[in-house]
C-alpha cells in the first residue's frame, strides 16, 4: 500500500470521528483532548529519549495522568494547570525535556477541553479554532510553494517562507470571517483580528515542533498516524493556538468557562 493510500485511509477514519466528537462536546471531547495529550507526550518522550531519565519519565507520566483524570471529572481548569506547573517545577531538576514535554502535552489538553465545553458557544469557539489553524496550514503551504521568496526561519524549518506565512495569516482571517458570518449572521471583526494572532501562534508552534525534530534528527514526530507521521506533526500549530485562545479568553472575561470566554472575546472591542 502506498503512502498516499495510507494517508487517505487514515484521514477517512479519523476525520469523521474527530468531527463527531467536536459536535458532541462535553465528556466526548474531553476524552479526545486527553488522547491528544497522551499521544503528544508519548511522541515527545520518544523523540527526546536520549535526554530522559527513568525517574523523570515516570514522574511526568504520573502527573499527566493525574491531570487527565481531574480533567475528565471536571475539576476546574486552573487547578489542573496549577498541578501541571507544580509537576514541571518538580521535574525540571531531573529532566528539562520531561518537564517541557509535560507542559507541551498537558496545557493544550486542558485548554482544548475547556474551550469546547458543552455549550453552543464552545462549539463555535472550537470550530473557529480548527478552521483558522487548518486554513493557515493549507494556504501557508501552497502560497509558499507557489510564490517562494525569502525563508521564514531556515534554522528551524528550511522550507517555510515569508510569503507562505503571510498567505496563511490571510487565509486564517478569511476562515474566521466565514465562521463568524455563519455563526452570527454577520462578520464580527474582533474574531478576524484575533485570527491574526492565532495564525501567527499556530505558525510559531509549527516552527517549534520542527526545531525539536531537527534537534533529534527526526523527519516525523512518530508513527501513530499511518501515512501522516505523528500526532505532533498534525497538531503542532493547533495546540499553541488553543493555549493562546484560552489565555486571551480568560484575561478578557476573568473566567475559564467556555461560553463566557468566547462570547466575551467576540463582544469585547480589541
Amino acid at each position: 500500500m502506498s503512502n498516499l493510500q495510507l494517508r487517505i485511509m487514515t484521514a477517512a477514519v479519523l476525520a469523521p470521528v474527530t468531527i463527531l466528537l467536536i459536535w458532541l462536546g462535553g465528556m466526548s471531547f474531553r476524552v479526545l483532548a486527553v488522547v491528544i495529550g497522551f499521544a503528544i507526550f508519548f511522541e515527545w518522550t520518544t523523540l527526546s529519549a536520549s535526554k530522559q531519565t527513568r525517574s523523570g519519565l515516570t514522574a511526568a507520566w504520573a502527573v499527566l495522568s493525574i491531570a487527565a483524570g481531574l480533567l475528565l471529572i471536571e475539576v476546574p481548569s486552573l487547578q489542573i494547570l496549577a498541578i501541571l506547573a507544580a509537576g514541571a517545577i518538580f521535574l525540571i531538576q531531573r529532566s528539562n525535556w520531561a518537564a517541557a514535554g509535560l507542559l507541551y502535552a498537558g496545557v493544550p489538553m486542558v485548554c482544548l477541553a475547556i474551550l469546547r465545553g458543552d455549550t453552543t458557544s464552545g462549539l463555535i469557539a472550537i470550530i473557529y479554532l480548527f478552521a483558522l489553524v487548518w486554513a493557515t496550514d493549507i494556504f501557508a503551504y501552497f502560497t509558499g510553494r507557489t510564490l517562494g521568496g525569502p525563508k521564514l526561519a531556515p534554522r528551524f524549518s528550511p522550507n517555510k517562507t515569508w510569503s507562505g506565512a503571510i498567505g496563511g495569516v490571510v487565509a486564517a482571517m478569511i476562515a474566521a470571517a466565514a465562521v463568524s458570518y455563519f455563526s452570527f449572521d454577520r462578520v464580527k471583526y474582533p474574531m478576524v483580528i484575533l485570527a491574526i494572532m492565532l495564525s501567527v501562534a499556530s505558525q510559531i508552534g509549527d516552527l517549534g515542533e520542527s526545531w525539536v525534530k531537527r534537534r533529534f534528527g527526526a523527519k516525523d514526530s512518530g508513527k501513530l498516524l499511518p501515512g501522516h507521521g505523528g500526532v505532533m506533526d498534525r497538531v503542532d500549530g493547533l495546540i499553541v493556538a488553543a493555549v493562546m485562545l484560552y489565555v486571551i479568553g480568560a484575561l478578557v472575561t476573568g473566567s475559564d468557562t467556555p461560553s463566557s470566554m468566547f462570547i466575551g472575546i467576540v463582544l469585547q472591542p480589541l
Side-chain angles (χ1 to χ4, degrees):
M1 185 177 295
S2 69
N3 188 64
L4 178 59
Q5 289 174 317
L6 281 174
R7 289 176 66 91
I8 293 173
M9 288 182 61
T10 301
V13 172
L14 292 182
V17 172
T18 302
I19 292 171
L20 175 62
L21 295 178
I22 289 173
W23 178 260
L24 293 173
M27 179 59 70
S28 300
F29 191 81
R30 284 174 184 260
V31 171
L32 175 62
V34 167
V35 170
I36 291 173
F38 276 32
I40 290 172
F41 191 66
F42 171 77
E43 292 181 350
W44 179 281
T45 54
T46 301
L47 277 173
S48 60
S50 62
K51 300 293 184 179
Q52 301 287 352
T53 64
R54 184 179 296 274
S55 61
L57 192 57
T58 301
W61 272 114
V63 175
L64 184 63
S65 298
I66 291 170
L70 295 176
L71 183 64
L72 293 176
I73 62 173
E74 300 187 30
V75 170
S77 60
L78 292 179
Q79 295 180 26
I80 304 174
L81 293 172
I83 289 171
L84 289 168
I89 292 171
F90 171 79
L91 283 167
I92 200 165
Q93 295 181 357
R94 291 161 176 79
S95 173
N96 291 339
W97 283 92
L102 175 63
L103 295 178
Y104 186 73
V107 173
M109 175 181 76
V110 175
C111 293
L112 281 169
I114 299 303
L115 283 169
R116 173 58 185 95
D118 58 2
T119 64
T120 300
S121 57
L123 176 60
I124 296 171
I126 212 72
I127 290 174
Y128 168 78
L129 178 67
F130 274 73
L132 70 88
V133 170
W134 285 343
T136 297
D137 287 346
I138 293 169
F139 283 91
Y141 174 78
F142 284 108
T143 305
R145 284 183 62 90
T146 302
L147 300 180
K151 300 298 182 181
L152 177 63
R155 181 179 177 184
F156 302 112
S157 182
N159 296 323
K160 291 180 173 58
T161 62
W162 278 102
S163 63
I166 294 169
V169 170
V170 172
M173 295 170 65
I174 294 171
V179 172
S180 175
Y181 182 81
F182 285 108
S183 300
F184 302 105
D185 294 324
R186 64 188 179 90
V187 175
K188 291 182 176 287
Y189 291 102
M191 291 177 68
V192 179
I193 296 170
L194 181 60
I196 298 172
M197 294 183 284
L198 296 177
S199 178
V200 172
S202 173
Q203 295 189 57
I204 291 173
D206 191 343
L207 288 172
E209 194 253 359
S210 295
W211 176 81
V212 172
K213 289 189 295 185
R214 287 172 65 84
R215 174 70 173 74
F216 293 100
K219 179 182 178 182
D220 298 318
S221 64
K223 299 179 180 180
L224 292 177
L225 301 177
H228 291 265
V231 173
M232 280 171 56
D233 293 324
R234 302 279 71 81
V235 302
D236 49 8
L238 175 71
I239 59 177
V240 176
V243 173
M244 175 173 277
L245 181 57
Y246 173 93
V247 170
I248 292 174
L251 291 175
V252 169
T253 65
S255 169
D256 67 351
T257 56
S259 74
S260 65
M261 184 180 297
F262 190 68
I263 294 302
I265 291 172
V266 171
L267 297 180
Q268 291 285 337
L270 295 181

